[in-house]
Amino acid sequence: MSSTSLAFPSLQLKFQSPRTSSKPSARRMIVRPISASVSEKPSVPASPVTMAPPESTELPIRKIPGNYGLPLVGPLNDRLDYFYNQGREEFFKSRIQRYQSTVFRANMPPGPFIAADSRVVVLLDGKSFPVLFDVTKVEKKNLFTGTYMPSTELTGGYRTLSYLDPSEPNHSKLKRLVFFLLKAGRDHVIPEFHSSYKELFEGLEQELAAKGKAAFGDASEQAAFNFLARALYGTNPTETKIGVDAPKLISKWLLFQVSPILTLGLPKHLEELLIHTFPLPSFLVKADYQRLYDFIYESSGPVLDEAERLGISRDEACHNLVFATCFNSFGGMKILFPNMVKLLGRAGVKLHTQLAEEIRSAIRSNGGKVTMAAMEQMPLMKSVVYESLRIEPPVALQYGKAKRDLIIESHDAAFRVKEGEMLFGYQPFATKDPKIFDRPEEFVPDRFVGEGETLLKHVLWSNGPETDTPTVGNKQCAGKDFVVLVSRLFVVELFRRYDSFEMEIGTSPLGSSVDLTSLKKASF
């Protein structure tokens, strides 16, 4: 989903997935000419990086507050505060209060002995945060997961696109390949989404009828992978060797990459030793990853042909396709869709009715079909998607290393940053900045309707403003438009099928869980 750091607050490590009863026939991918693109045209070259002259500011220059503490001791203390003593949100809030600043110095996990250097300059407001997107000012090399980088043994020995800086030659080639993948599957997204999520909702209805409630998480993950495989690769996974195993294989593989920045609910000292002090050995997940690789390789012939035309080996291309599909896309949907259900469920029946009326009316006006044109006639639905991405962005953590001496401005002051210093931003604070958004902590469904669209430049989930476009020369998510589209389709499928729903939000060692307790079928 994105080419920068992706956090997994609700990583579900389930090792059994429900089987789906419907098995649409597999098809072969047919690459057709496409007149419109989900992102930039591949022929656009990367912009050369030019060094700007020394910066100036009208704000008062302030020394960056905070410190890193003693070697080893400081990073460990901050890690314990971040994971256990305070928790992530309070870790940042308490330091904003202590320093009276949204910019300060701190250590970011994991620290010793996984990360060689945990020192960062923290950016927690909507004005300072966007410097992390400016590749003329920051380098993004090997910073996808933050101050550490997982072993390349987890990705076939290659540094995948997410870990490359735009200045590296392979970045342009690999991002063009992702654009090609998205364009090749463009005509299949809407029908395959409908097919996959029809199966999801039918299964949830059956479980609800039998048990009185239905767990959304596992079923949603199976639907997400089925959709991605069918839409992007023309293959139904249930008719291949991988069957329904992909979600559990991916979750295990993800754990081995992001466990240093997770908590799993284990006893603190055990968890510190097992996942925060030393990386999990990659050989334990090698066989699982090989199954994912084999599935993608066997399903992506035309895309691998294009990779060779771009000068990328089929092997390296396939490892990048696995990462883009399973980490970026599936990983993002794994977080985003349950969050959307939670936010919509809490919003209540009034919003559900408004969405159902808007969505069904637009579909009727477009010949009874869900089309791009129909969705453009759903302003409330579009706003709900943007508001979900604003209030709980699936990409929470962003990093960049200063390419030169910089002056970074918050709303109140300016700060000097030295070349080589690591910058870090926690996105939910930037997208809930009270100096930018009214009622920033509230889910406001119509926030981006009408004149509210001017605020879209402050929706930053994609490693760039929502009003910007991914190119081969930046680090904005190659699938930005794809993610927005499938999120819209999810809301459309939900409310074309149901008038309303009720749910229970639970907690688990891995975050929130969503159980549906009522699904009121469409009555108009």
Side-chain angles (χ1 to χ4, degrees), residues 390-411:
R390 178 196 74 86
I391 203 164
E392 290 194 355
V395 182
L397 313 179
Q398 303 276 0
Y399 288 84
K401 183 175 290 187
K403 287 185 172 180
R404 54 184 167 86
D405 291 355
L406 302 173
I407 292 178
I408 296 177
E409 294 183 349
S410 69
H411 293 294

Side-chain angles (χ1 to χ4, degrees), residues 324-394:
T325 306
C326 300
F327 195 123
N328 300 135
S329 300
F330 176 86
M333 294 170 74
K334 177 186 182 78
I335 297 171
L336 180 58
F337 284 7
N339 282 349
M340 291 177 67
V341 171
K342 177 181 68 177
L343 292 168
L344 288 166
R346 287 175 173 170
V349 174
K350 181 179 178 181
L351 174 62
H352 298 176
T353 302
Q354 292 172 332
L355 285 168
E357 290 174 346
E358 176 185 84
I359 289 166
R360 295 172 199 174
S361 174
I363 292 173
R364 284 195 295 269
S365 298
N366 285 268
K369 296 182 179 180
V370 177
T371 63
M372 299 292 285
M375 286 188 287
E376 286 302 313
Q377 299 169 20
M378 305 175 189
L380 180 60
M381 178 277 292
K382 293 195 296 180
S383 178
V384 160
V385 168
Y386 288 135
E387 180 70 343
S388 299
L389 290 165
R390 178 196 74 86
I391 203 164
E392 290 194 355

Side-chain angles (χ1 to χ4, degrees), residues 250-376:
I250 297 171
S251 290
K252 186 177 177 183
W253 175 64
L254 290 175
L255 173 66
F256 276 62
Q257 296 177 78
V258 299
S259 59
I261 52 175
L262 293 180
T263 55
L264 303 180
L266 302 172
K268 179 173 68 174
H269 298 298
L270 180 60
E271 191 167 78
E272 279 291 286
L273 178 64
L274 289 180
I275 64 173
H276 294 156
T277 305
F278 304 102
L280 294 171
S282 58
F283 73 86
L284 293 176
V285 76
K286 184 176 181 179
D288 299 312
Y289 179 74
Q290 188 65 44
R291 291 185 65 193
L292 294 170
Y293 176 93
D294 291 344
F295 172 78
I296 297 294
Y297 193 93
E298 292 166 4
S299 305
S300 58
V303 187
L304 298 180
D305 292 341
E306 175 67 14
E308 289 188 315
R309 285 191 287 270
L310 291 170
I312 310 166
S313 73
R314 298 178 83 86
D315 184 55
E316 182 175 7
C318 189
H319 286 293
N320 274 273
L321 294 176
V322 174
F323 200 93
T325 306
C326 300
F327 195 123
N328 300 135
S329 300
F330 176 86
M333 294 170 74
K334 177 186 182 78
I335 297 171
L336 180 58
F337 284 7
N339 282 349
M340 291 177 67
V341 171
K342 177 181 68 177
L343 292 168
L344 288 166
R346 287 175 173 170
V349 174
K350 181 179 178 181
L351 174 62
H352 298 176
T353 302
Q354 292 172 332
L355 285 168
E357 290 174 346
E358 176 185 84
I359 289 166
R360 295 172 199 174
S361 174
I363 292 173
R364 284 195 295 269
S365 298
N366 285 268
K369 296 182 179 180
V370 177
T371 63
M372 299 292 285
M375 286 188 287
E376 286 302 313

